[in-house]
Amino acid sequence: MTKSELDQQFMRLAMELAGKAESEGEVPVGAVVVHEGVVIGEGWNRLIGQHDATAHAEMIALRQAGKVLQNYRLLDAVLYVTLEPCPMCASAMVHSRIGKVVFGAPDYKTGAAGSVMNLLSYEGVNHHVQYQGGVLEEECREQLQAFFRRRRSEKKAEKEARKAAQSPSDEN
């Protein structure tokens, strides 16, 4: 299997995990940590369910990987995530000394791997993380966009239902 095929295989697994997030009402982001070809960490967004602002997919996967390796340093590991990491997650990747990050869709609002800023190779940090974006980018983007389209539609329907319930009836 080529490197590109492996990247796609692990990104598809991350997308499956993003589906778990969506089924729990969370923003569909999924992540896996791979070491020597084996998945050692998995995560999906759990912010709402865990009442925890740090419960991003990447953070959960990094914590799990550290426990598996019995070491917070993940030097030879690769993290696959469906959306470009935010500053918090990128900083955790630097601190974990992960070898590489591969992401699907860029995040033009809070992306910290080149879209808005780049903390993974910031000159002032002690470890620089290799990164690659755009793996299954279209599929990852569509998964997120479909979620937000559905969410907007549901909120609009709720608003209209509340408005209809408040208006006087025309039964006279």
Side-chain angles (χ1 to χ4, degrees):
M1 190 175 280
T2 69
K3 175 71 174 117
S4 176
E5 290 169 334
L6 276 174
D7 286 347
Q8 290 180 20
Q9 174 186 328
F10 289 122
M11 188 61 72
R12 288 191 197 292
L13 177 55
M15 290 178 70
E16 286 177 29
L17 296 171
K20 288 185 180 188
E22 184 169 4
S23 72
E24 295 174 6
E26 304 272 359
V27 174
V29 177
V32 295
V33 177
V34 178
H35 183 259
E36 297 179 354
V38 177
V39 174
I40 60 168
E42 295 183 342
W44 57 91
N45 275 1
R46 310 285 310 272
L47 289 79
I48 298 166
Q50 291 188 2
H51 312 288
D52 180 357
T54 70
H56 288 201
E58 303 97 305
M59 300 293 282
I60 294 167
L62 288 170
R63 287 182 191 122
Q64 194 177 87
K67 288 178 182 175
V68 167
L69 292 182
Q70 293 292 291
N71 193 339
Y72 76 94
R73 292 181 178 212
L74 306 172
L75 290 167
D76 298 322
V78 179
L79 187 143
Y80 292 86
V81 61
T82 57
L83 181 64
E84 180 180 358
C86 72
M88 174 185 67
C89 293
S91 294
M93 292 168 200
V94 169
H95 286 287
S96 75
R97 292 160 176 80
I98 197 144
K100 185 175 182 179
V101 176
V102 178
F103 64 89
D107 183 348
Y108 296 113
K109 291 184 180 181
T110 63
S115 291
V116 175
M117 65 189 80
N118 191 338
L119 296 178
L120 298 178
S121 60
Y122 180 71
E123 203 172 292
V125 298
N126 64 333
H127 175 76
H128 294 160
V129 179
Q130 295 178 26
Y131 62 94
Q132 172 189 350
V135 174
L136 299 181
E137 179 178 345
E138 299 287 327
E139 294 93 327
C140 291
R141 180 185 299 115
E142 178 53 32
Q143 188 176 36
L144 285 157
Q145 288 177 340
F147 170 80
F148 286 112
R149 275 193 304 270
R150 184 176 49 78
R151 185 184 242 181
R152 282 189 298 274
S153 176
E154 288 169 354
K155 287 189 185 262
K156 183 178 178 182
E158 288 172 11
K159 185 177 179 181
E160 289 173 358
R162 280 193 307 272
K163 191 175 180 181
Q166 293 173 350
S167 66
S169 116
D170 294 330
E171 294 179 18
N172 294 355

